[in-house]
Amino acid sequence: MRQVIIFSMLLFLTGCVQTEVNDSSNITEVEVVETLQDHNIELTEGTFVEEDIFTSKLNGVKPEVYELNKKWIVIYEFDTAEEREKGEKEFATKTANINLVSYTSFIKRNILIFYVHGEDLNSNQVPFEKEIQEALDSLIEG
């Protein structure tokens, strides 16, 4: 009986040991591109423009730029969701007093995407907006 109690306590204490867990909840830019392409959203490599607000570094992260029907898809891959939030706040601060071309932003965990479509703000339907969101929603939660 004494051995059972000692064994139980050791088993309990072993369960209390903190172990480092690899955080697989982050998404990579490559995974996003593959998912978009799997959903028939054909991206081509875009041209990075250093001076443009949509392609500027946010929270120290330089984005990857793609094109979709001659419109920009700008993908930022941050280390964490918290870092992404800081990047979003930085973008909001940088653009607070600027008139921007129409765009839609998408977030998924550590990923921030700007789809710079230039459509009328009163438009009910922006091409590919729904498809991009559906593709992002399909990414498996980590």
Side-chain angles (χ1 to χ4, degrees):
M1 177 73 169
R2 187 175 189 195
Q3 289 177 338
V4 171
I5 292 173
I6 291 172
F7 178 73
S8 295
M9 289 186 69
L10 284 173
L11 189 60
F12 174 76
L13 291 174
T14 303
C16 292
V17 173
Q18 186 175 10
T19 58
E20 188 174 321
V21 177
N22 201 3
D23 184 6
S24 64
S25 66
N26 284 339
I27 305 169
T28 66
E29 171 261 334
V30 171
E31 289 174 310
V32 171
V33 171
E34 288 173 354
T35 299
L36 291 171
Q37 291 175 336
D38 288 346
H39 284 79
N40 298 318
I41 300 170
E42 295 301 320
L43 300 179
T44 58
E45 196 169 315
T47 304
F48 182 81
V49 179
E50 184 105 20
E51 301 83 30
D52 194 277
I53 192 66
F54 289 105
T55 59
S56 65
K57 281 187 178 182
L58 294 177
N59 198 24
V61 174
K62 180 180 171 184
E64 294 297 325
V65 180
Y66 296 90
E67 287 187 13
L68 172 62
N69 283 356
K70 299 182 181 178
K71 307 293 182 185
W72 278 359
I73 298 273
V74 182
I75 304 174
Y76 288 85
E77 179 185 339
F78 295 93
D79 290 335
T80 65
E82 292 80 20
E83 294 296 313
R84 186 211 71 233
E85 289 172 4
K86 289 178 185 176
E88 288 178 274
K89 288 177 184 173
E90 182 179 344
F91 183 79
T93 300
K94 285 181 176 181
T95 60
N97 297 317
I98 300 174
N99 285 330
L100 297 174
V101 66
S102 300
Y103 71 97
T104 303
S105 61
F106 301 89
I107 57 170
K108 182 77 171 191
R109 289 182 252 161
N110 60 305
I111 296 291
L112 172 62
I113 299 173
F114 293 123
Y115 172 36
V116 187
H117 50 74
E119 295 291 322
D120 184 348
L121 290 175
N122 296 322
S123 175
N124 290 338
Q125 205 169 29
V126 174
F128 298 104
E129 190 176 59
K130 181 179 174 187
E131 292 85 350
I132 293 168
Q133 186 62 60
E134 288 173 354
L136 292 174
D137 289 344
S138 77
L139 282 167
I140 298 170
E141 293 293 332

